[in-house]
Amino acid sequence: MDQDLLARIKRHEVLEAIKAGERVDGRDFEEFRPIEVQPDVIAKANGSALVRLGNTQLVVGVKLEVGTPYPDSPDEGALAVNAELVPLADPTFEPGPPDENAIELSRVVDRGIRESEMIDMKSLCIEEGEHCWVTFVDIHVLDHDGNLFDASLLGSVTALHRTRVPKAEVVDDEVEVDETELTPLEVRDFPVSVTIALVDEHLLVDPCLDEEVVMDARITVTVTEEGRICAVQKGERGSLPEHLLDDAIDLAVKKAEEIRGVVKAQL
Amino acid sequence: MDQDLLARIKRHEVLEAIKAGERVDGRDFEEFRPIEVQPDVIAKANGSALVRLGNTQLVVGVKLEVGTPYPDSPDEGALAVNAELVPLADPTFEPGPPDENAIELSRVVDRGIRESEMIDMKSLCIEEGEHCWVTFVDIHVLDHDGNLFDASLLGSVTALHRTRVPKAEVVDDEVEVDETELTPLEVRDFPVSVTIALVDEHLLVDPCLDEEVVMDARITVTVTEEGRICAVQKGERGSLPEHLLDDAIDLAVKKAEEIRGVVKAQL
Amino acid sequence: MDQDLLARIKRHEVLEAIKAGERVDGRDFEEFRPIEVQPDVIAKANGSALVRLGNTQLVVGVKLEVGTPYPDSPDEGALAVNAELVPLADPTFEPGPPDENAIELSRVVDRGIRESEMIDMKSLCIEEGEHCWVTFVDIHVLDHDGNLFDASLLGSVTALHRTRVPKAEVVDDEVEVDETELTPLEVRDFPVSVTIALVDEHLLVDPCLDEEVVMDARITVTVTEEGRICAVQKGERGSLPEHLLDDAIDLAVKKAEEIRGVVKAQL
Amino acid sequence: MPEEEPERLISEDGLRLDGRKPDEMRPLKIKAGVLKRADGSAYVELGANRIVAAVYGPRELHPRHKQKPDRAVVRFRYNMAPFSVDERKRPGPDRRSIEISKLSKEALEPAIFTEYYPRTAIDIFVEVLQADAGTRCAGITAASVALADAGIEMRDLVAACAAGKVDGHIVLDPMYYEDGYGEADVPLAMMPKEGEITLLQMDGDMTPEEFKKAVKLAKKGCKIVYKEQRRALKRKYGEE
Amino acid sequence: MPEEEPERLISEDGLRLDGRKPDEMRPLKIKAGVLKRADGSAYVELGANRIVAAVYGPRELHPRHKQKPDRAVVRFRYNMAPFSVDERKRPGPDRRSIEISKLSKEALEPAIFTEYYPRTAIDIFVEVLQADAGTRCAGITAASVALADAGIEMRDLVAACAAGKVDGHIVLDPMYYEDGYGEADVPLAMMPKEGEITLLQMDGDMTPEEFKKAVKLAKKGCKIVYKEQRRALKRKYGEE
Amino acid sequence: MPEEEPERLISEDGLRLDGRKPDEMRPLKIKAGVLKRADGSAYVELGANRIVAAVYGPRELHPRHKQKPDRAVVRFRYNMAPFSVDERKRPGPDRRSIEISKLSKEALEPAIFTEYYPRTAIDIFVEVLQADAGTRCAGITAASVALADAGIEMRDLVAACAAGKVDGHIVLDPMYYEDGYGEADVPLAMMPKEGEITLLQMDGDMTPEEFKKAVKLAKKGCKIVYKEQRRALKRKYGEE
């Protein structure tokens, strides 16, 4: 009961602010919250980053493991993105295997990394058809205040940019790994996603949690350094009026460029 | 409540019909519903069939995969029968791993196929002790109006009769499969099961769902082309009076012959 | 309700007895219940034992399987201890994967076996880095009347003392096992655990179920034949006053010696 | 995935591997009311896709604390039969089908007057019996007809169709090879009457302009689908 | 499975590998009331089978919506200890034990006056500590005694026994090798007083006449089992 | 596990691999209130350990039949991030973390006035972002501060610290190599004010006297931890 009441009050606040041309936390409609990216926070990982996007906070760790290439790409490494919405991060998150929200999140991040071709997957082949590096990107959410999509991709891309690959050699059909000889992972793009909430026919960039609770729909657009689009995802129970779609795309492309600059300046 | 009431009304109808020497859908006690078998409905499968038994409707697909023989039968292929009671087919079916009903169903069908020795399992060996074909028989129920046992075996046997095996050769310890060169699977029997419901001391062949809901017990008898028995299964919470068992067996053997003819005429 | 009432009455009985310097079943504070160990009860196991500790009853079976050594101990066999609290043994046990209680139990038993180094793990290596014996110790609880820890370790250690290892040879990179040529497993210790319940600042050795229900905390101390400690575990929701800990340790060491004698006399 | 990559997906005279023009859809067949037990059902063939959808509900929702006092809860389960794809698919949901189920639910829910059915569940099941490319769109298309067949009140039918980028061309309704070797895929669902987009995804590589063009083409495909959906319902229920 | 197939399972003078005549059962020992915590329990040795059964109930059934207003819900769990078979069995139910649990429940339920215990659960647990052939029958036999030991009202005890076909002969109570290399297996359970069959399965190869003969022989076995069950209960509870 | 075993863990002049004296702890940093969503939180660095703890509650407990009429139910989940250890850890609880979760819950519960919060749940979550040795103690230490930060009434803070046996010496707060190659490990938690031990484990090889000595040293460590815990809370909440 109280929860419902609280939700209704919040909804009212968010909508009132929008009517007044404002957002509930005082931002402009097209304004991101402050972004703080701290790379190399986990020494045990091959690459890592802590991201703060307003009060949203998460850690991404990249681990490389020797595995077997997929039969249809014998000369390439593999990529696995996983997001854990651990119950520490939000009162509604529950322990257990990833639910549909965690799976959607990790798959959208996965497509951003994969389709931008930011990683040279061929550089992760150790021996064709036999051995390759499997790149595990693990997103660990610590504090959920909205827009996990953009924060997760920022953390993942930063962690990949800082990933160092151990030397691997095949000796007698077995892979010998030398953890002391490290070379940077070959990355060649910096994809950034921009998530826009649709509330009452308004487009709000980088929604905070209070806005996510009331939004009708959400669209996430992932943009490469060249300004090309490599992934799009509409989500949530509402629909997106046709006439707003082009605006949303243009807005996302513009903001992606800006955000990328903000983050790169911190690395 | 309403559900219980509905069940009681149905029960009454079924029992009243039986007292009048009839069945609730107008059939004779020993009469099957119309059977329609349509083979080769799934091009992606190695063999397939759609079965309609009255309103009961299901698809069976056979897929062959290269695997390893069991240690105790190194010169034979393997067989795996699986039934999915997907929630699309009945309001009481639930998503999730197969429950006891789905497992019983698949195991009774499995025994019909296996014990009739309709498949020459040795013909599915690729290299003794190393490689063989694993035959997956997947039963996908679409519409449940009773007697899934008989419909599932009919579909499975038909699909196996239409299964074509790709050419497989061992080159450098690895199996090379040529999907374009196909030979029919060696089958040498056509087992048919007949399920009889016991309602109020009456034997009803091929029960529809309304009858299954009220039946005391069920007996399924699987019969080979030679009229031999290769599997029997009594089920449900009631018991079977000793004096009816022989009748049920004789009835099943008789009906199996008849049904086999009906189906074969459609292939 | 009735259950709660019953628990409160039992609690009252246990506490009243303690105030009167007695235990609810008439034992002294430092007295174990009668122990009965029956080895070799399961012919299909490589080693086995039935243990009765008062009304607590369980069977332990040891099975040896050929497996692969862990990378960090290529010249050693492996050990896996598993406890099943099957619902047959207690009205509160539920079917399903081991819960936290079953896992704690098996891990405490595991540490008793492993840390006492009672098994010469190197003797279980078949071929370095390639093949070894995996020793499965399965604890199957049949009747739960308290102190599963001590009964489980007694059963496990007895079963291991009676375990016979089949002959294993590597022929053409594969392990050939001869089940008819058996040699005893090399064991070199007889660790015994002593569990002490803390009730109302009193230390009760070998608590029965009625005492476990009311105890504040429990401490289990595992002692080798030389009187050294190889494992300790405090459990349950209460705390242990500092001044009682040394007493508990000394008491456990003393009782372990005694219990070991009782069991060995039966083998 | 096709075993060998075709040299080119679009021929010199602008035709696709299966002879279609860039803006041409594969043959589409829709049938309403194909199952007896379900409250509503539909069957869709799109190219080699074979899809059955069923709807149960509005019906009681257990456990009670999941009920919504002001609307129906819509649930959606997309499932592939083990024999529907080249390599046998192990039964049970994988990450891909969990994501598709979530997005398909969100694609259909805007069309349903859920507020008419408080405290109930509307369950939608889609079974893919054979998969070519485009199963998520075909599944939404089928489910929408099944919802109508079940008598669920809706703002509009939801029609779904994908566009793609293949050899640099924007094409409608990519088939298997085009999906596997093309440069981008854009599945879209909409309520054509209201012009509302309810599903939109993209993965691959496109300029913003190409993406907008693909969206436009996919919308055109939705209108073709929409016509077939209405025709299927008319065949079953007579003139509207 | 035995590692090497014996040359013949029935000798020239008509005896079986373990010296039994075709219609002879293995040694059978039944003991009622072997556990303290359970409401009822029993232990069965049949050849090398070692089986413990326990009954809890009638007891409260959670969650409430699974309760039946007019009868008790009977639940049955057949479980094999990991060390009970040649190759260690991974803990937890497999498809075989799920089927056996279902059929065993259906074999016992007809004997229980479930209508005397509305809204409750009667839980039956069978643990196989060592498996020879015939565990499902021995489990039902043990469970039936455990039910009586728990004071559950029953129409009759349920006795179970298998027959088989071995080297062309119909034999009673097949043991391990006969089950592995024989031609057919026919487990059967019944309420002997009422002549009602509550479990019946068969797999293998038999003419209808052979099957009927096997059923007849299995029924004979059930009567022997029945006697031992009653004897075990008498030993615990004195003259009936 | 370290890849190569160091020759000796304690040098001739009695110092440890990382230069510590036997009774010296690793650098310890504690910060209270590091998360916004949680009701209480804390961050702990102990050597290379990086641990975050959060507390939610007292809050409603579902399902209702798990509520206790006279007290709060305390729940604890210890979880390692996949990247926290040398070899990637598969997400989800394993047997080790299930045991640690149980023991940590039992280590904290004696300190909480659970009777003040009947029918509620107090949920404690510990995430290990990077693991050196001693994560269970550092987790309890962090959780205890998070409980205080959440305003949960407690008898005392719970401070935790391990002792170990390394090359025959009893040492405080073993680090990674010492834990891997040492002879014994003794994690301990206590309420320092009341002198009550709430967690105690040991595995390895020790005489009773060595064990008692290790316990004494671990208790000394707990007092150091305790001071840091109070300092962290003072930093956030000002003077006590």
Side-chain angles (χ1 to χ4, degrees), chain F residues 49-65:
Chain F
N49 288 306
R50 300 280 178 273
I51 284 163
V52 190
V55 169
Y56 285 91
R59 62 178 174 181
E60 244 187 299
L61 173 54
H62 287 292
R64 273 173 156 266
H65 72 88

Side-chain angles (χ1 to χ4, degrees), chain C residues 3 83-103 140-141 144 148, chain E residues 37 56 59-63 66 75-77 79 91-93 123-125 127, chain F residues 63 65-66:
Chain C
Q3 290 259 314
E84 290 286 306
L85 302 183
V86 291
L88 161 132
D90 189 287
T92 69
F93 290 173
E94 284 180 19
D99 67 0
E100 59 176 25
N101 296 307
I103 286 172
H140 218 74
V141 178
H144 175 29
L148 295 177
Chain E
R37 292 287 285 164
Y56 285 90
R59 62 179 174 181
E60 244 187 299
L61 173 53
H62 288 292
K66 293 205 167 174
R75 297 186 292 192
F76 190 105
R77 185 175 185 260
N79 185 47
D123 284 310
I124 309 170
F125 302 109
E127 295 291 326
Chain F
H65 72 88
K66 294 205 167 173

Side-chain angles (χ1 to χ4, degrees), chain C residues 16 82 90 95 114 156 205 222 244 255 257 263:
Chain C
E16 284 301 297
N82 186 55
D90 189 287
R114 195 180 301 271
S156 301
V205 165
T222 310
L244 287 178
K255 297 303 291 183
E257 176 82 19
V263 172

Side-chain angles (χ1 to χ4, degrees), chain C residues 18 197-204 216 239-241 243-244, chain F residues 196:
Chain C
I18 287 172
L198 179 79
V199 185
D200 228 12
E201 305 256 319
H202 291 274
L203 300 177
L204 308 184
D216 302 310
S239 57
L240 187 69
H243 69 274
L244 287 178
Chain F
E196 294 274 324

Side-chain angles (χ1 to χ4, degrees), chain B residues 8 42 48 77 88 109 123 147 176 187 212 223 232 243 247 251 254 258:
Chain B
R8 245 175 294 143
I42 304 294
S48 64
L88 162 132
V109 172
S123 75
N147 198 7
E176 286 189 2
V187 289
E212 286 193 348
V223 186
V232 175
H243 68 275
D247 295 354
L251 179 55
K254 188 179 78 180
E258 179 190 317

